[in-house]
Amino acid sequence: MRIGMWMAALAMALWAGAAAAANVGFQRIEIPVAGDKPTQAGVWYPTAAPEVSAPISLGRQSVATNAPVLGSGLALVAMSHGTGGSFADDPQTAHALAQAGFVVIAISHTGDTYDDRSRSMRIAERPAQLERAIDYMLGEWRDRAALDPRRIGAYGFSSGGFTVLAAIGGEPDLSKIGPHCVEHPHFYDCQLNRTAPGAAPPPALAHPAPVAHDPRIRAAVVAAPALGFTFVPSGLANVHVPIQLWRGEWDTVLPQPYYAEAVFQALPLKPDYRVLRHADHFDFLPACSEALAKAAPPICASAIDRAATHARFDAEVVKFFRAKLR
């Protein structure tokens, strides 16, 4: 018995050491969607090919573009961005996971990106887009043979956090948005509800289409989840996967206790609950390039060393997925 346990621990240690030494490959892909526009996405993965500096959105990343995948039986992590973002919002976390031996698929949610806000109020559609991305990676991606379909995780920030909570079994009560916004009209989500293209009066959100749940997802990291107050205990009763839940200590966009704290209180199995010290909402994103700082100052302003903070955050995310997606 002891020999078997020792051998298993040694195998895990060797796997972790080998994965950490990997370079990172990158592919930009389009995922076909029946009856809709293709979903734009990026894929990061371990590779033996050398990395070079390459552009991504308004920044750069160190990757081996379109290089061969290194390894087999790899775990997959699907990433969901915040409202008005894109798959390129957090290449640093994606890179850290890929360097540690994971394959990462990050999608741009159609109609809720920086250049197309036409569906930003149709948040209940997002989990199905994430599910389609997982379908594509397991069934159509050119390197799908390298994946282990039993080892699937999900990561979401802000509206992406809502997306992941719904995808792992959460049932939001969107009828709560109306009363919430009557009480807190100055909150960011309520301002968005009033001003976003195609925004509907809150009562129209009371009976949305059913959200898609994906039982293949075995572990989730949820950072600063939007609309956390819409998840009451009965709405999270069917969520049983391990979760690492984060909030920013000084989040002024999604202030406590209405978002991450509300989710923590409602979850039947308490998550690994973390606080990003001294952090505001957008400090969960990497340090901005000079071009992005000029284009979007509110996203890039920070009172902390965002690069150092994000590196520590990424290390905890990697550690969590390593432990839960064995």
Side-chain angles (χ1 to χ4, degrees):
M1 182 70 173
R2 290 180 180 176
I3 293 175
M5 293 175 62
W6 180 84
M7 289 296 291
L10 177 61
M12 282 297 297
L14 290 173
W15 172 82
N23 291 333
V24 174
F26 175 75
Q27 301 169 11
R28 179 165 181 166
I29 62 173
E30 285 191 344
I31 300 173
V33 178
D36 204 348
K37 296 184 292 186
T39 298
Q40 306 300 312
V43 181
W44 289 258
Y45 52 89
T47 184
E51 297 180 8
V52 298
S53 179
I56 182 169
S57 187
L58 293 178
R60 302 191 70 83
Q61 61 174 345
S62 179
V63 292
T65 303
N66 295 323
V69 175
L70 175 66
S72 61
L74 303 177
L76 174 68
V77 176
M79 292 183 68
S80 176
H81 63 78
T83 189
S86 78
F87 77 81
D89 276 7
D90 195 353
Q92 183 172 318
T93 297
H95 190 282
L97 285 165
Q99 193 173 44
F102 297 88
V103 174
V104 178
I105 171 73
I107 66 172
S108 293
H109 285 282
T110 301
D112 192 12
T113 57
Y114 67 94
D115 57 350
D116 178 8
R117 304 296 297 276
S118 61
R119 304 188 205 173
S120 59
M121 297 308 300
R122 291 158 58 177
I123 193 168
E125 296 179 356
R126 280 168 146 254
Q129 296 174 358
L130 198 69
E131 181 183 38
R132 171 63 185 128
I134 295 172
D135 288 344
Y136 176 87
M137 293 299 290
L138 295 180
E140 302 161 56
W141 185 46
R142 73 179 194 190
D143 295 300
R144 58 190 178 276
L147 297 173
D148 183 346
R150 300 164 299 178
R151 301 171 63 215
I152 309 294
Y155 169 94
F157 163 66
S158 197
S159 289
F162 171 95
T163 303
V164 168
L165 284 168
I168 60 177
E171 288 285 353
D173 180 358
L174 297 184
S175 69
K176 291 185 173 295
I177 294 176
H180 172 81
C181 288
V182 169
E183 187 175 355
H184 307 288
H186 60 290
F187 279 16
Y188 176 83
D189 47 5
C190 298
Q191 295 182 48
L192 181 65
N193 187 53
R194 292 194 300 271
T195 62
L205 297 174
H207 301 288
V211 297
H213 304 312
D214 195 331
R216 296 170 298 186
I217 298 173
R218 287 182 46 203
V221 174
V222 175
L227 302 183
F229 61 89
T230 66
F231 291 102
V232 298
S234 60
L236 293 178
N238 292 322
V239 174
H240 303 298
V241 304
I243 298 171
Q244 188 179 74
L245 176 66
W246 290 82
R247 70 172 177 90
E249 184 177 18
W250 298 340
D251 193 327
T252 58
V253 174
L254 301 179
Q256 296 313 305
Y258 306 99
Y259 302 96
E261 183 65 26
V263 169
F264 173 74
Q265 295 297 336
L267 281 167
L269 300 176
K270 294 310 176 190
D272 176 9
Y273 193 23
R274 306 292 187 93
V275 177
L276 200 63
R277 295 297 177 190
H278 310 303
D280 204 337
H281 188 68
F282 294 111
D283 287 323
F284 282 99
L285 298 176
C288 293
S289 66
E290 184 176 344
L292 182 56
K294 290 180 179 178
I299 292 176
C300 298
S302 181
I304 64 174
D305 182 342
R306 192 181 282 188
T309 299
H310 207 281
R312 293 192 293 271
F313 170 75
D314 289 342
E316 293 304 315
V317 171
V318 168
K319 185 187 300 183
F320 173 80
F321 279 128
R322 273 184 170 163
K324 305 305 180 183
L325 296 179
R326 292 180 179 175

